[in-house]
Amino acid sequence: MDEKVAAKADQVGIASPRRSPAQQRSRERVERMLAAASALIAEQGSDAMRMGEVAEKAGVSIGSLYQFFPDKRAIVWALAERYTAEGQACISAALKEVEDAEGFKSAFSELVDIYYQLFLAEPVIRDVWSGTQADKALRALELADSRANAEFLVAVLKRLRPDADPVQLETTAFLVWQMGEAAVRLAISVDREEGDRLVEAYKRMALRELVGE
């Protein structure tokens, strides 16, 4: 976690890393720790993961692990923030060049499809999400990230609908984003054919609210 992420964690009572990896060697060690945690989560889930297992798989001492991650929750949040950062980069890139409603519809639909495919393909992402939902403090941080993601939509909608009430745009974008996350998570909990239909239905509903069809 960087300083900004650590500050967010501290606000809701999540133990932040005791050390920030300043040197390349330390950064590589943290990468090994997170890679080890991801592998263990993929194998057995985050609930069963133990700090000692992470240290052993990463090839570091348990003391070294605790220097960077004081508890398992800090590891889960670090992974969640990594996925969030990657997702926000993808959202920013997809929406940056949007100039009209048709371009927005295409970019938005593609983003939803990417999000859906990631959840289908990556058990670690699904598990990390489950971990954030089960923990009140992690859920608060995940909600803040969701608001930040919705701001990408708001920025485009303000360009496309300059006369619209900005507060209404923000409310709609945030709600649509939250509904999208719920829709995708519902879609991966049913069979693939039904999941595909749910995602397509969500996209139609969301676009009607955002820009009309």
Side-chain angles (χ1 to χ4, degrees), residues 43-207:
E43 293 171 7
Q44 60 192 33
S46 59
D47 287 343
M49 182 181 71
R50 297 292 178 264
M51 296 292 277
E53 293 176 318
V54 175
E56 181 179 359
K57 196 172 188 66
V60 301
S61 68
I62 188 67
S64 180
L65 177 64
Y66 277 117
Q67 284 180 327
F68 293 99
F69 300 102
D71 56 30
K72 185 169 68 173
R73 190 163 62 163
I75 294 178
V76 171
W77 181 243
L79 290 171
E81 281 297 280
R82 172 165 293 188
Y83 295 136
T84 295
E86 292 173 354
Q88 288 179 345
C90 180
I91 296 165
S92 178
L95 297 179
K96 183 171 60 175
E97 304 299 329
V98 170
E99 297 180 351
D100 53 34
E102 288 305 312
F104 179 82
K105 291 177 183 179
S106 176
F108 180 83
S109 295
E110 183 178 355
L111 284 171
V112 174
D113 289 339
I114 290 172
Y115 190 65
Y116 180 36
Q117 292 301 321
L118 278 175
F119 266 77
L120 285 171
E122 296 291 341
V124 175
I125 294 179
R126 296 197 298 270
D127 190 281
V128 167
W129 171 77
S130 296
T132 62
Q133 301 307 296
D135 186 298
K136 183 177 180 180
L138 289 173
R139 174 58 181 155
L141 289 171
E142 193 264 349
L143 192 61
D145 284 334
S146 184
R147 287 186 185 279
N149 290 339
E151 284 300 314
F152 288 105
L153 296 182
V154 173
V156 178
L157 292 173
K158 285 181 177 178
R159 296 201 305 268
L160 300 181
R161 300 169 57 188
D163 297 328
D165 180 354
V167 174
Q168 186 61 42
L169 289 181
E170 291 169 4
T171 301
T172 300
F174 181 48
L175 180 58
V176 163
W177 195 272
Q178 281 286 296
M179 290 174 62
E181 293 176 350
V184 167
R185 288 154 184 166
L186 173 62
I188 65 172
S189 69
V190 298
D191 68 73
R192 181 62 186 273
E193 185 176 350
E194 183 179 13
D196 290 351
R197 292 198 304 270
L198 288 168
V199 170
E200 290 302 315
Y202 163 72
K203 288 192 290 186
R204 291 193 298 272
M205 293 168 58
L207 288 170

